Amino acid sequence: MKDFTPNNKKTDQLDQLSVSNENEKLTTNQGLKINNDQDSLTAGDRGPTLMEDFIFREKMTHFDHERIPERVVHARGSGAHGVFKLTKSLSKYTKAKFLTDTEKETPVFIRFSTVAGNRGSTDLARDVRGFAVKFYTDEGNYDLVANNIPVFFIQDAIKFPDLVHALKPEPDNEIPQAASAHDTFWDFISLVPESMHMIMWVMSDRSIPRSYRMMEGFGVHSFRFINDEGKAHFVKFHFKPRLGVHSVAWDEAQKISGLDPDFHRRDLWEAIENGQYPEWDFGVQVIPEEDEDQFDFDLLDPTKIIPEEVVPVELVGTITLNKNPDNFFCETEQIAFHPGHVVPGIDFSNDPLLQGRLFSYTDTQLIRLGSPNFHEIPINRSVKTVHNNQREGYMRQQIDKGKVSYHPNSMGGGCPFQAMMSEGGFASHQETVSGPKVRRRSRSFVDHYSQAKLFYNSQSEPEKMHLQNALVFELSKVTIPAIRERMVSQLAYVDQVLAANVAQKLGVEVQALDMPNQSIPADADPATLQSEEREPETQYSEALSMMNTIKNTISSRKVGFIMANGADGAAAKELMITLEGKGAVVEIIGTSVAPITAHDGSVLVPKHSLTTTGSVCFDALYICAGEQSTLQLMNAENKHLVLSFINDAYKHCKSIYFGEGTEAIYNLSNPSMRQHEDPAIITPEDADQATKFINAIANHRVWDLELERNS
Ligand code: HDD
């Protein structure tokens, strides 16, 4: 079901430029109708191809040039169109029209991405996710180039190439793809203590999301809001998913990477095609400029959050994604974001990471998209027509009329005119800036551990365990003992027990750190380098744990029905209707994809067979009622496949519902299933089975029972 949002200026603009081939004749790029596209022009039936074959040469030349350089980071991604609706005016803080007029709906395009992997890499890498939003506002494009983690690895953009070189596959053998579990990454991290807060997030389950639709988005930096009076406030941006924040288990992530490396891309596409539009609340944390120094950290430091307990997030709007792109390359690949694409009412702060980003993004588009005219690619065009004196360059689209391409001019009547601020002309915030030219980190950026501790201490026990296991996994892949040692010594500054546990699994000792702090210049005066660590205002933040997320919906959750011929069709259909009524998506998994004849003679068509998918691709399983079906599922050919489905789902803490007559399967499944009280395992003995199943799916997983389930 495709919904074309009414009054979406951006999708209307794209529709006008899109071409359908329906009932059309094949042509060359010059519009010449082609009579034969099957054979080259040759000298005789068996002779050589003729140089003259301009149709062949045009087609082949275009093909040879089809690829463009992928993004240097965030190459792997997927996106969709949508709309931003403001629910509460922010006119007190900003004059940006799309944030003040609650009547206005602003078209958006969001591109989600991983960071490390190439364009064809798996969606399920353990990695930060990009969450880049382009707002096509009436005052010009505004890009909020965000991530699903609210802090960053480094404090100064000059370190970005180093970080990315360390993270990317190692240059001698280009191994590993889309993974941080290797020597160079951890070598760099172990020498850059400012990364420790981000490392806590990246090693947590946040970096293996269940879906793009179940991720938070964060603008990371403190930006500035400027209101009509010219008064500035600092602001941090947030997106909060209506479906809650959920993740998969690391074992699942690895298996999904094999079974369906497009898992997140497919999930986003299918949800939108099914009309289950992903939604986020949009929120802001606003801080008056005069309160800039009120925190135990520097607002300009991108390795710090403002805990929600200290400054609450005010929800002021919603973003809904409601239309898939028509063409992946033209829209998702060619979209070009830039944190410097702002509108009046939004301005920058002096965060040194943000300042560097303001240079990097346009520069990268020039090499990636090949021309300063990248803004003319349809997905990048603003909904407002562009009027200026910039001319020519590769692939220029806009045809500017007249002789005048300079300002001031009299020959063009002075056009285009500069806009006054009252007419929406952008003027930078008049911040007073002074000081000596220095190349050094501010002392207010020195505390690298307090918020790493805050994050770790705010996690639930299962989350702490996952984080620890992630560190053990990653550092076990590091081959150089000294790097492992430096890392566990870093961890000891966050949590002694965590460091000791990781060290034990790695076979190294936690030692006192004796290493240069890379962010401090070699010739700095030691007297000025005493730690500025201050106790944080809060030791625990509920918002940081995914345990406290929304768990009241099964909307768009995928439930696999495993069945074979002779299944209880009526029971399956009844449960299917109940689940679909609550928004879940049911897919039938057969012993093959051949239609299944149920006990009552009805026919059900499987979408998958036991060999084309795995339980990791589903949120829950229903083992269909019916003794005949059970017999087939337990025959020599299918038994190990069915049991591996169930045992994997069990291990990954999902809900499994055993229908009437499936005891033979239940009894052969993981024995621990029959030994523990478990709200997510539903058997025929249970009362109100469907409700129990629905509650379990809504709760996502029983992470609390992970140890029992894996014992
Ligand atoms: Fe970046 C892409 C987010 C720091 C330089 N970045 C890129 C994308 C996202 C982010 C979501 C993908 C956009 C898309 O989908 O096309 N980047 C961030 C965040 C950062 C950050 C949240 C820290 C708060 N980035 C950062 C720094 C630099 C860059 C410090 C360089 C100084 N980022 C780039 C880039 C990319 C990019 C090289 C690659 C492709 C692109 O820009 O368009 O310019």
Side-chain angles (χ1 to χ4, degrees):
M1 187 208 341
K2 259 196 170 185
D3 177 67
F4 292 89
T5 324
N7 305 323
N8 185 329
K9 285 187 197 149
K10 186 64 201 173
T11 49
D12 288 352
Q13 193 188 42
L14 292 176
D15 282 347
Q16 280 162 24
L17 290 159
S18 67
V19 170
S20 157
N21 288 328
E22 209 174 318
N23 296 325
E24 297 291 346
K25 297 281 188 286
L26 194 67
T27 72
T28 66
N29 286 338
Q30 303 306 316
L32 174 76
K33 284 188 191 142
I34 296 174
N35 156 268
N36 178 350
D37 184 48
Q38 315 306 316
D39 304 295
S40 311
L41 187 69
T42 53
D45 281 349
R46 301 177 60 248
T49 303
L50 295 177
M51 180 80 153
E52 178 196 318
D53 189 354
F54 66 94
I55 295 180
F56 166 83
R57 277 191 285 117
E58 183 202 77
K59 183 173 176 181
M60 204 46 70
T61 305
H62 197 280
F63 171 75
D64 290 344
H65 294 249
E66 265 175 18
R67 290 290 168 274
I68 61 169
E70 62 176 35
R71 288 163 172 83
V72 56
V73 280
H74 296 266
R76 171 77 184 172
S78 201
H81 293 275
V83 64
F84 169 68
K85 288 181 193 161
L86 187 72
T87 47
K88 189 176 170 207
S89 173
L90 288 170
S91 56
K92 212 166 118 194
Y93 307 119
T94 175
K95 59 185 170 187
K97 293 225 164 49
F98 82 107
L99 293 177
T100 53
D101 183 351
T102 50
E103 299 294 300
K104 205 157 245 154
E105 293 194 356
T106 305
V108 297
F109 190 94
I110 306 190
R111 183 174 178 273
F112 305 102
S113 48
T114 52
V115 177
N118 290 353
R119 219 183 123 179
S121 57
T122 174
D123 282 343
L124 265 293
R126 187 194 294 289
D127 200 352
V128 187
R129 296 300 185 284
F131 193 121
V133 188
K134 195 179 277 294
F135 295 84
Y136 301 93
T137 88
D138 290 344
E139 298 182 290
N141 291 347
Y142 169 56
D143 293 352
L144 187 44
V145 197
N147 277 345
N148 76 330
I149 289 179
V151 287
F152 204 62
F153 292 102
I154 46 170
Q155 294 171 323
D156 190 311
I158 201 168
K159 298 309 293 169
F160 191 68
D162 299 285
L163 166 72
V164 174
H165 287 173
L167 169 66
K168 283 274 183 178
E170 296 184 6
D172 51 352
N173 55 14
E174 244 204 15
I175 297 174
Q177 180 56 240
S180 51
H182 60 108
D183 287 347
T184 56
F185 178 71
W186 288 102
D187 184 26
F188 177 82
I189 294 298
S190 68
L191 293 167
V192 179
E194 71 206 52
S195 66
M196 287 315 290
H197 185 197
M198 177 79 166
I199 285 297
M200 289 295 113
W201 284 81
V202 176
M203 292 297 112
S204 80
D205 291 344
R206 300 267 178 164
S207 59
I208 39 174
R210 158 65 182 84
S211 160
Y212 291 140
R213 304 174 293 122
M214 299 168 201
M215 300 189 316
E216 283 180 289
F218 304 92
V220 180
H221 313 283
S222 300
F223 290 89
R224 273 195 173 91
F225 270 159
I226 313 293
N227 67 14
D228 269 327
E229 280 86 54
K231 175 157 171 52
H233 286 81
F234 287 107
V235 56
K236 293 241 188 202
F237 294 110
H238 296 252
F239 299 97
K240 292 185 175 283
R242 288 271 172 96
L243 295 175
V245 190
H246 301 283
S247 287
V248 298
W250 178 230
D251 183 58
E252 274 180 287
Q254 293 176 86
K255 289 175 175 159
I256 297 171
S257 289
L259 278 164
D260 187 6
D262 303 304
F263 187 72
H264 286 152
R265 178 177 286 193
R266 192 185 308 285
D267 168 273
L268 179 67
W269 180 274
E270 288 181 351
I272 294 174
E273 290 299 298
N274 291 339
Q276 295 185 308
Y277 299 142
E279 276 190 313
W280 287 262
D281 287 310
F282 175 70
V284 289
Q285 284 175 298
V286 180
I287 305 101
E289 269 204 318
E290 48 278 19
D291 290 351
E292 180 175 1
D293 300 324
Q294 296 305 304
F295 301 92
D296 51 285
F297 52 89
D298 194 326
L299 270 191
L300 303 184
D301 175 355
T303 66
K304 304 294 181 294
I305 57 164
I306 307 177
E308 293 190 25
E309 288 71 13
V310 179
V311 178
V313 176
E314 201 180 336
L315 300 180
V316 296
T318 56
I319 280 206
T320 309
L321 294 181
N322 54 16
K323 185 183 177 298
N324 278 316
D326 289 318
N327 184 290
F328 185 93
F329 178 82
C330 292
E331 296 165 76
T332 312
E333 192 58 18
Q334 292 201 115
I335 196 162
F337 294 93
H338 175 26
H341 292 160
V342 289
V343 291
I346 300 181
D347 214 319
F348 315 116
S349 69
N350 295 333
D351 172 342
L353 194 73
L354 172 60
Q355 292 283 318
R357 292 181 76 193
L358 295 177
F359 164 74
S360 181
Y361 287 71
T362 307
D363 191 39
T364 212
Q365 309 313 346
L366 289 176
I367 181 80
R368 190 170 74 83
L369 298 167
S371 158
N373 290 319
F374 66 84
H375 64 281
E376 295 195 321
I377 295 171
I379 192 69
N380 294 326
R381 280 188 202 177
S382 66
V383 290
K384 287 272 300 166
T385 310
V386 170
H387 298 281
N388 60 38
N389 295 313
Q390 296 171 28
R391 293 290 186 273
E392 307 180 5
Y394 285 113
M395 306 295 168
R396 182 68 174 178
Q397 312 280 305
Q398 186 162 306
I399 301 171
D400 301 288
K401 293 185 183 167
K403 292 182 190 294
V404 172
S405 54
Y406 52 89
H407 192 268
N409 67 71
S410 66
M411 284 172 62
C415 304
F417 303 112
Q418 295 175 154
M420 290 191 291
M421 277 169 74
S422 59
E423 297 168 318
F426 182 85
S428 293
H429 176 56
Q430 294 187 4
E431 184 190 3
T432 305
V433 179
S434 69
K437 269 198 254 179
V438 291
R439 198 181 275 285
R440 69 167 180 244
R441 202 68 54 91
S442 167
R443 289 184 63 202
S444 54
F445 280 36
V446 161
D447 170 14
H448 304 319
Y449 300 107
S450 300
Q451 288 209 349
K453 282 183 210 165
L454 169 68
F455 179 82
Y456 185 71
N457 292 340
S458 302
Q459 302 301 295
S460 63
E461 285 309 314
E463 287 171 302
K464 281 186 178 164
M465 187 52 72
H466 294 168
L467 197 156
Q468 180 178 307
N469 291 344
L471 282 162
V472 171
F473 176 93
E474 297 267 316
L475 295 172
S476 300
K477 299 252 185 178
V478 166
T479 63
I480 299 170
I483 300 177
R484 292 180 175 177
E485 276 166 19
R486 274 204 304 271
M487 266 320 300
V488 294
S489 306
Q490 286 288 356
L491 293 175
Y493 284 89
V494 180
D495 189 271
Q496 300 276 349
V497 177
L498 172 68
N501 288 347
V502 174
Q504 193 237 327
K505 288 270 168 65
L506 297 176
V508 295
E509 303 269 307
V510 181
Q511 282 161 358
L513 267 182
D514 179 18
M515 49 169 286
N517 183 338
Q518 302 292 304
S519 64
I520 295 173
D523 58 352
D525 173 5
T528 65
L529 293 182
Q530 270 146 31
S531 170
E532 295 232 327
E533 276 193 44
R534 283 191 267 167
E535 277 305 303
E537 286 172 42
T538 172
Q539 307 286 344
Y540 171 84
S541 168
E542 212 171 84
L544 300 180
S545 165
M546 288 162 55
M547 275 294 174
N548 307 316
T549 193
I550 297 164
K551 291 177 181 162
N552 61 3
T553 172
I554 66 165
S555 176
S556 77
R557 286 310 176 105
K558 228 179 221 185
V559 186
F561 277 30
I562 299 184
M563 63 168 82
N565 284 330
D568 183 341
K573 273 176 231 155
E574 190 186 326
L575 183 62
M576 197 180 287
I577 290 167
T578 310
L579 294 175
E580 288 177 347
K582 301 251 173 217
V585 176
V586 173
E587 290 179 358
I588 295 174
I589 305 158
T591 55
S592 72
V593 291
I596 293 167
T597 308
H599 190 62
D600 58 8
S602 61
V603 174
L604 295 127
V605 182
K607 182 163 181 181
H608 311 274
S609 82
L610 290 167
T611 54
T612 60
T613 189
S615 78
V616 290
C617 297
F618 297 87
D619 291 298
L621 294 179
Y622 170 56
I623 317 303
C624 281
E627 278 162 18
Q628 283 174 30
S629 165
T630 298
L631 272 176
Q632 280 200 45
L633 292 174
M634 284 291 98
N635 71 20
E637 192 187 343
N638 300 318
K639 183 169 147 185
H640 72 282
L641 291 169
V642 172
L643 291 178
S644 105
F645 249 82
I646 292 170
N647 290 338
D648 250 13
Y650 184 67
K651 180 170 154 188
H652 301 138
C653 301
K654 294 174 186 172
S655 182
I656 311 171
Y657 177 177
F658 291 88
E660 203 83 49
T662 61
E663 290 78 1
I665 303 176
Y666 177 73
N667 288 333
L668 283 179
S669 301
N670 189 327
S672 114
M673 207 181 281
R674 296 179 294 283
Q675 286 155 17
H676 298 288
E677 276 287 302
D678 192 325
I681 300 298
I682 292 111
T683 65
E685 281 84 60
D686 282 307
D688 213 355
Q689 294 148 21
T691 310
K692 199 174 166 196
F693 194 39
I694 288 165
N695 287 340
I697 303 170
N699 269 298
H700 182 62
R701 305 295 168 84
V702 278
W703 291 128
D704 282 339
L705 294 179
E706 198 170 12
L707 284 180
E708 282 92 331
R709 281 192 172 204
N710 282 280
S711 62

